[in-house]
Amino acid sequence: MDSPAAFTAVVGHHIHASVACIADLYEVDRRWQLDPDNLPADESWFDRQVLRWGTVTGLERDDKWTAHFGMTRRTISYVVAMVSADMAGKKHSSLSHIPVFKRVCCALSYLRTRCGYRTVATLFGISETSVGHIVHEFTRAMSSVRMRTRFIDFFSKQDCEPLHSISMERAGMPGAIGAIDGTYLPWIAPTTTNDFITRKGSNAILAQGVCDMTGKFRAFHVGYCGGWSDVTAYNHSGIQEKIAELQDAVGPACVLQGVPIPYYVLGDGIYPISKELMPALKGSLRPCQKSFDYRQKRARNIIECQYGILKGRWQTLTVPSRISIESLAAIAITCVVLHNICIEEREDNSWIDATPEEFDHEPMEAILDDGMGETVRERLIQYCHDHRHACEL
């Protein structure tokens, strides 16, 4: 300490906090003796412990906030500010006495863990019904058109050049600005239909997303039958049309051997080749194709890593549920919006146990386009072969 006065102030602060804590505990014990089965709601784990993180010791305790709620308190406050107007309504009068900050933390706790309503209700000192209302209220606000437009925005003309530069730096892939892939969301489907049975025999809903080279999701479509293939979902998503409109507005990323190379997204071998989407090569590779295959996989790995981070942070996406497809879709979109918010707020991902997700696809022949996609890929293969020592370190 710089001076005895500073030392005395710090010690006095800790003594005062300890005395206050003991007094509070005594008061709780006295109330509990009067009615052991009815502990006051403001004496729950959230109110007694969580709200003290960072107030007694002076530390932010970001590690505790991220472990229990998926993000730091600063980012949670940012989310609260955005949804407070939507969640302050009087649709459920039983929630009017619960602060919006506590409601948001309650919803985040449910999304963060694999726990059900009962466990979350115990932690927050509220009923299971209230937890259900809060989760529905929060996901409805976060998956609204306003939030989707704000945080899941598709590529714009201004995004192409910076993302292309990141792609060249990461893997040396000319024209690549993002990657596309699908993922399964476990779901307990009705026994009257087999449309949601995957080829592995489990019930799930298929979701398809596009992320850029920074890891931010630029498109996310959920609600497809688990029995569908990625190609079927891709054809119904309208993503190809959006990329084509972007290519017409921006122009080519570069020119290789007289062929203009447009901006495109990367996919695995199940997707059809076109000038909007460049899939991986299939089958045995010629020596001149190996460099392209290496770079394509290296750049495309971003989408698999982001699915791993998404499900590692919001583990409710890994638990089969009996809720409706609309509710599950709202939860999934909410998690993607929160994922993009974490990227914008530079949240740390190192604590997440996230293994890149390998989506097990059913082998099928890719559908060729009018030849423009093949021409572009041949130029990219030649370029990667000519510069094969530049990126493979």
Side-chain angles (χ1 to χ4, degrees):
M1 295 296 175
D2 296 337
S3 65
F7 176 78
T8 303
V10 173
V11 173
H13 169 76
H14 285 282
I15 292 176
H16 177 75
S18 301
V19 171
C21 182
I22 293 173
D24 290 345
L25 291 176
Y26 174 78
E27 179 65 19
V28 174
D29 183 70
R30 189 179 68 83
R31 296 185 196 177
W32 213 338
Q33 290 178 4
L34 295 176
D35 191 355
D37 297 327
N38 188 20
L39 185 65
D42 59 349
E43 304 298 346
S44 64
W45 167 79
F46 178 81
D47 297 278
R48 297 293 304 152
Q49 295 190 34
V50 174
L51 294 182
R52 290 181 179 269
W53 292 343
T55 60
V56 176
T57 62
L59 301 176
E60 291 296 334
R61 299 313 304 266
D62 287 344
D63 56 333
K64 283 184 171 292
W65 285 97
T66 53
H68 289 279
F69 304 106
M71 53 181 64
T72 61
R73 181 166 186 167
R74 174 182 55 84
T75 305
I76 294 176
S77 300
Y78 175 59
V79 174
V80 170
M82 288 186 296
V83 300
S84 58
D86 297 326
M87 297 185 65
K90 298 182 179 180
K91 183 175 181 180
H92 300 292
S93 59
S94 60
L95 305 180
S96 58
H97 67 286
I98 305 177
V100 176
F101 184 84
K102 183 175 181 178
R103 278 186 267 171
V104 171
C105 289
C106 176
L108 292 177
S109 178
Y110 173 78
L111 298 176
R112 168 72 187 94
T113 65
R114 300 179 180 220
C115 300
Y117 288 168
R118 179 176 300 176
T119 303
V120 177
T122 303
L123 295 176
F124 285 81
I126 57 180
S127 66
E128 296 181 44
T129 304
S130 297
V131 174
H133 288 324
I134 289 172
V135 172
H136 175 73
E137 184 183 49
F138 179 72
T139 55
R140 183 181 58 185
M142 292 297 294
S143 62
S144 63
V145 176
R146 177 177 63 90
M147 299 297 287
R148 294 200 308 267
T149 305
R150 165 66 178 83
F151 292 103
I152 313 180
D153 54 328
F154 200 72
F155 302 103
S156 64
K157 294 189 295 184
Q158 293 75 19
D159 297 328
C160 292
E161 184 56 35
L163 294 175
H164 179 241
S165 300
I166 297 175
S167 174
M168 291 297 294
E169 182 179 352
R170 179 194 299 271
M173 279 296 294
I177 58 175
I180 183 174
D181 202 1
T183 186
Y184 284 134
L185 303 178
W187 185 57
I188 302 177
T191 57
T192 56
T193 178
N194 295 326
D195 296 338
F196 296 91
I197 299 179
T198 66
R199 68 189 191 91
K200 288 188 173 183
S202 60
N203 284 292
I205 291 176
L206 177 64
Q208 191 165 78
V210 177
C211 77
D212 60 24
M213 291 302 169
T214 67
K216 180 181 178 182
F217 280 93
R218 296 302 188 122
F220 188 78
H221 301 272
V222 61
Y224 302 120
C225 297
W228 285 17
S229 68
D230 269 4
V231 175
T232 305
Y234 174 68
N235 292 333
H236 283 77
S237 65
I239 293 175
Q240 184 173 11
E241 290 76 9
K242 291 183 178 180
I243 300 176
E245 294 176 1
L246 179 68
Q247 292 175 347
D248 295 338
V250 178
C254 59
V255 178
L256 299 179
Q257 300 179 7
V259 176
I261 306 299
Y263 295 105
Y264 56 85
V265 297
L266 301 168
D268 50 36
I270 194 175
Y271 286 99
I273 182 172
S274 66
K275 60 185 180 65
E276 294 85 19
L277 196 157
M278 199 59 55
L281 296 170
K282 299 190 300 182
S284 59
L285 303 179
R286 304 192 306 269
C288 64
Q289 296 176 330
K290 292 183 179 180
S291 181
F292 169 84
D293 181 68
Y294 169 82
R295 297 190 186 200
Q296 200 269 358
K297 290 181 179 179
R298 182 170 179 173
R300 194 189 77 228
N301 186 59
I302 185 69
I303 184 69
E304 298 168 355
C305 291
Q306 295 314 303
Y307 276 136
I309 293 174
L310 177 70
K311 293 185 177 181
R313 174 178 270 121
W314 312 115
Q315 296 183 9
T316 189
L317 296 177
T318 64
V319 180
S321 58
R322 295 183 181 273
I323 59 179
S324 64
I325 295 180
E326 293 77 14
S327 297
L328 181 57
I331 289 176
I333 294 173
T334 296
C335 293
V336 172
V337 169
L338 293 172
H339 173 89
N340 287 352
I341 290 176
C342 290
I343 291 179
E344 291 188 5
E345 296 299 311
R346 300 183 182 277
E347 288 282 321
D348 181 28
N349 296 327
S350 60
W351 58 274
I352 301 176
D353 184 14
T355 303
E357 182 177 287
E358 291 289 346
F359 194 59
D360 191 9
H361 299 280
E362 184 176 359
M364 63 178 296
E365 291 295 328
I367 304 172
L368 299 181
D369 66 338
D370 57 2
M372 184 60 187
E374 284 285 2
T375 303
V376 171
R377 185 162 68 178
E378 287 300 322
R379 295 299 183 274
L380 291 174
I381 291 174
Q382 187 61 45
Y383 171 86
C384 294
H385 180 69
D386 295 340
H387 300 80
R388 57 188 178 276
H389 301 298
C391 186
E392 301 174 16
L393 301 178

